Amino acid sequence: MGIQGGRESLFFSFKFSHFAKMSGTWLLLLQLLSLTLVSHLFHTSLGDVGTAAQYSPPYLPTACYGSDPSPFPSSNLFGVAGDGIWDNGASCGRQYLVRCISASKQGACIRDQTIQIKIIDYVGSAPSLPTANDTTMVLSKTAYETIANPAIADQFINIEFLLV
């Protein structure tokens, strides 16, 4: 056995014996500190991941509210449900937290920007065409531009969304 091998085993035995001598309170504190550090290193998500395109006016009529503009949020942060979240019309009025997580081009997402949107229509009946087909949702021009830079983003972005 070489000197280096002896050092390694001496090093490891010192570390383990040191932890064995720690009191229960200090050991618990060290474990909690380690768990906290690890949890901050990894972003956990409770939402779903999907895609979003954008569409421009006209926004009326809608499958949810017909020609009535009163249910539209004054912020213009609204969206159209794709097939995956339409739920046979039950998604009308649902609100989602949405953030851009990636796009085909770097820098398209506006970092740390999350919006709350309201579903006001179904993609199959929207009066204007989205920039991409088969997305989870289609966002109003205002909503899309709040979380992504349309000059950089291609036709759609990857999103994380959570039902509120």
Side-chain angles (χ1 to χ4, degrees), residues 59 69-79 95-96 113-120 139-147:
Y59 298 124
S70 64
F72 282 62
S74 59
S75 64
N76 286 326
L77 298 178
F78 56 85
Q95 303 219 10
Y96 289 94
Q113 185 66 32
T114 302
I115 58 173
Q116 185 169 333
I117 63 138
K118 179 179 182 179
I119 298 297
I120 53 98
L139 301 174
S140 67
K141 184 174 176 9
T142 302
Y144 192 87
E145 291 177 355
T146 303
I147 61 171

Side-chain angles (χ1 to χ4, degrees), residues 6-161:
R7 280 189 201 160
E8 287 177 350
S9 61
L10 179 62
F11 175 74
F12 286 120
S13 66
F14 169 75
K15 283 189 132 189
F16 290 125
S17 65
H18 181 69
F19 284 122
K21 292 178 183 175
M22 292 181 106
S23 72
T25 304
W26 282 107
L27 191 56
L28 179 62
L29 183 61
L30 182 62
Q31 288 172 338
L32 288 174
L33 182 62
S34 299
L35 182 62
T36 303
L37 180 64
V38 169
S39 69
H40 284 287
L41 291 175
F42 300 102
H43 174 73
T44 56
S45 169
L46 299 176
D48 291 313
V49 176
T51 55
Q54 71 170 317
Y55 77 128
S56 299
Y59 298 124
L60 292 172
T62 70
C64 297
Y65 306 110
S67 295
D68 182 8
S70 64
F72 282 62
S74 59
S75 64
N76 286 326
L77 298 178
F78 56 85
V80 172
D83 289 327
I85 63 170
W86 176 238
D87 199 14
N88 292 322
S91 65
C92 289
R94 285 183 183 162
Q95 303 219 10
Y96 289 94
L97 293 175
V98 181
R99 74 180 184 103
C100 179
I101 56 174
S102 68
S104 61
K105 294 181 183 172
Q106 194 170 14
C109 292
I110 298 173
R111 291 178 52 111
D112 301 323
Q113 185 66 32
T114 302
I115 58 173
Q116 185 169 333
I117 63 138
K118 179 179 182 179
I119 298 297
I120 53 98
D121 204 351
Y122 171 59
V123 73
S125 64
S128 62
L129 295 175
T131 55
N133 294 320
D134 301 321
T135 58
T136 309
M137 62 180 66
V138 180
L139 301 174
S140 67
K141 184 174 176 9
T142 302
Y144 192 87
E145 291 177 355
T146 303
I147 61 171
N149 183 342
I152 299 173
D154 281 332
Q155 298 174 342
F156 68 93
I157 55 173
N158 296 310
I159 58 167
E160 178 180 59
F161 63 101

